[in-house]
């Protein structure tokens, strides 16, 4: 009679010497302590060069946006002064910069815009600041609202789940861009008299509110499905048997198991709202000239691209770099949190 073969031990997680040294403690000299899922995800992410480089690029854009006033002060110019009109030698008789490449020089690093002669360098930095502010606020609100509604619908089930599911189906069926273009002016007409100028803060708040109201459905639908699967698991049933309240079950049992899809959806949502906000501004919905914005710069540059492509080059190139970097960062985060879904 042959004895059954002993099962082969599982392959150990491959870690660097630095990780082993960092985990070593006096009571554990070999650094064999168990690592939390968060630390394992951080180790996997740190090995991904694409993700690390993308993270630095994204951080650079946020630092530039936050520090735009300081950069403008050190640079000695601002995005609102019409330097070309104040100094006739900067623009020709047709309102275009006298110097080539959009008027780029030692005084104006990225040139000046036609007709008005505003500094493109500081205008771009303030545009990054405003666009990221709107996109980040929208992404955070959409994620928070989607988490709350998705968890509630999935855990309660029954009529609540049915009602929320139908609302989600309706919102996902809307052509959102067309709805923003048609509905946003109606909102402003209700809040502001026709003969009054719309404050910039009201434009920003209303734009964020409308995009949030129609953007939470996708993440709520995803989390609803995850909760429907998790609520039947043994650890949830055990929590119910011990008398845990629904709030405790949601926050202590369900939510910790949903951070992976939440983080992935959040990292993919922000670049989407950057392009959405810029597209709306390009179409005349949202921020408008003279408020700096990526879409405003693209709209202004589109009027003169046949004469000089420089006016569209800087806003277009920076926006493409940011969106690509953030999408790559989102992919790296997904791979780090869920190795089975690795590309």
């Amino acid at each position: 009679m042959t004895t059954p073969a002993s099962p082969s031990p599982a392959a150990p997680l491959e870690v660097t010497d630095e990780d082993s040294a960092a985990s070593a403690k006096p009571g554990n000299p070999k650094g064999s302590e168990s690592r939390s899922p968060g630390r394992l995800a951080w180790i996997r992410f740190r090995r991904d060069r694409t993700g690390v480089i993308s993270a630095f690029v994204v951080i650079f854009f946020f630092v530039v946006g936050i520090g735009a006033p300081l950069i403008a002060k050190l640079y000695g110019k601002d995005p609102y002064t019409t330097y070309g009109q104040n100094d006739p030698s900067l623009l020709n008789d047709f309102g275009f910069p006298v110097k080539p490449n959009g008027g780029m020089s030692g005084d104006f690093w990225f040139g000046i815009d036609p007709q008005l002669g505003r500094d493109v360098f500081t205008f771009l930095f303030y545009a990054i600041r405003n666009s990221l502010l709107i996109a980040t606020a929208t992404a955070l609100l959409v994620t928070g609202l989607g988490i709350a509604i998705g968890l509630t619908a999935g855990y309660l089930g029954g009529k609540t789940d049915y009602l929320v599911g139908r609302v989600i189906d309706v919102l996902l069926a809307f052509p959102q861009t067309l709805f923003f273009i048609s509905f946003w002016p109606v909102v402003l007409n209700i809040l502001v008299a026709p003969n009054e100028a719309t404050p910039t803060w009201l434009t920003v708040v209303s734009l964020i509110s409308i995009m949030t109201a129609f953007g939470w459905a996708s993440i709520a639908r995803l989390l609803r499905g995850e909760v429907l699967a998790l609520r039947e698991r043994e650890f949830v049933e055990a929590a119910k048997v011990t008398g845990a309240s629904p709030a405790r079950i949601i926050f202590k049992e369900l939510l910790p198991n949903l951070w992976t899809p939440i983080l992935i959806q959040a990292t993919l949502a922000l670049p989407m709202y950057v392009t959405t906000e810029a597209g709306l501004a390009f179409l005349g919905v949202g921020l408008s000239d003279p408020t700096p914005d990526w879409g405003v710069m693209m709209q202004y540059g589109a009027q003169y691209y046949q004469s000089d492509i420089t006016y569209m080059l800087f806003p277009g190139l920076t926006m493409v770099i940011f969106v690509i970097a953030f999408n790559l960062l989102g992919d790296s985060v997904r791979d780090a949190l869920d190795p089975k879904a690795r590309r």
Side-chain angles (χ1 to χ4, degrees):
M1 180 176 178
T2 60
T3 58
S6 59
S8 59
L13 175 67
E14 180 184 355
V15 295
T16 61
D17 295 337
E18 179 184 355
D19 298 328
S20 299
S23 61
K25 293 183 178 180
N28 189 14
K30 296 183 179 181
S32 58
E33 65 174 2
S34 60
R35 295 177 175 85
S36 65
R39 177 166 177 77
L40 294 176
W42 168 247
I43 294 173
R44 287 190 289 265
F45 176 79
R46 193 172 57 186
R47 293 174 184 163
D48 189 344
R49 292 185 178 180
T50 301
V52 172
I53 294 174
S54 300
F56 278 112
V57 173
V58 169
I59 292 172
F60 171 77
F61 272 89
F62 275 97
V63 170
V64 165
I66 295 173
L70 177 60
I71 295 173
K73 185 176 181 180
L74 296 175
Y75 179 63
K77 295 178 177 61
D78 64 80
Y80 304 106
T81 302
T82 55
Y83 298 100
Q85 294 183 350
N86 298 339
D87 186 357
S89 64
L90 295 175
L91 300 176
N92 59 23
D93 295 337
F94 299 99
F96 286 90
V98 174
K99 296 183 178 181
N101 300 322
M104 295 174 61
S105 65
D107 294 327
F108 301 96
W109 295 353
F110 288 1
I112 55 177
D113 58 12
Q115 308 305 322
L116 299 176
R118 295 172 299 191
D119 180 68
V120 175
F121 182 77
T122 54
F123 202 95
L124 175 63
F125 280 25
Y126 274 79
I128 294 174
R129 176 189 179 93
N130 293 335
S131 294
L132 291 185
L133 170 65
I134 295 174
T136 303
T138 304
L140 291 175
L141 291 174
V142 164
T143 302
L145 190 59
I147 291 172
I149 296 177
L151 285 173
T152 303
Y155 182 76
L156 295 180
K159 294 182 178 179
T160 302
D161 181 43
Y162 178 83
L163 178 61
V164 172
R166 302 295 75 75
V167 173
I168 291 175
D169 291 338
V170 171
L171 291 178
L172 292 178
F174 267 106
Q176 293 188 6
T177 302
L178 295 177
F179 192 80
F180 291 154
I181 295 173
S182 60
F183 187 70
W184 184 77
V186 176
V187 174
L188 289 186
N189 288 332
I190 295 174
L191 300 176
V192 181
N195 58 345
E196 296 181 1
T198 304
T200 302
W201 68 267
L202 182 59
T203 300
V204 172
V205 171
S206 60
L207 188 61
I208 293 174
S209 300
I210 292 176
M211 289 195 296
T212 301
F214 292 91
W216 58 267
S218 58
I219 186 171
R221 186 176 187 177
L222 173 65
L223 294 181
R224 168 187 168 272
E226 295 286 343
V227 173
L228 287 175
L230 288 175
R231 71 177 187 177
E232 305 299 332
R233 299 283 294 274
E234 293 80 1
F235 63 91
V236 176
E237 294 295 334
K240 292 180 180 179
V241 171
T242 58
S245 64
R248 179 176 178 81
I249 294 175
I250 291 176
F251 287 103
K252 297 295 184 179
E253 306 295 339
L254 296 177
L255 193 57
N257 291 280
L258 297 173
W259 284 121
T260 295
I262 289 173
L263 289 176
I264 292 173
Q265 290 298 311
T267 54
L268 296 178
L270 194 145
M272 180 188 70
Y273 285 112
V274 167
T275 55
T276 299
E277 187 275 332
L280 292 174
F282 182 84
L283 296 173
V285 179
L287 295 179
S288 59
D289 201 18
T291 303
D293 183 84
W294 258 326
V296 170
M297 294 189 71
M298 294 291 291
Q299 182 192 53
Y300 196 82
Q303 304 176 28
Y304 305 101
Y305 77 95
Q306 292 181 335
S307 301
D308 196 334
I309 195 64
T310 306
Y311 310 119
M312 293 189 67
L313 176 63
F314 292 113
L317 187 61
T318 52
M319 185 169 64
V320 168
I321 291 174
F322 176 81
V323 171
I324 291 177
F326 215 107
N327 281 329
L328 291 176
L329 177 61
D331 290 341
S332 298
V333 170
R334 179 198 62 191
D335 294 342
L337 294 174
D338 188 7
K340 295 180 180 179
R342 188 176 297 273
R343 298 184 298 271

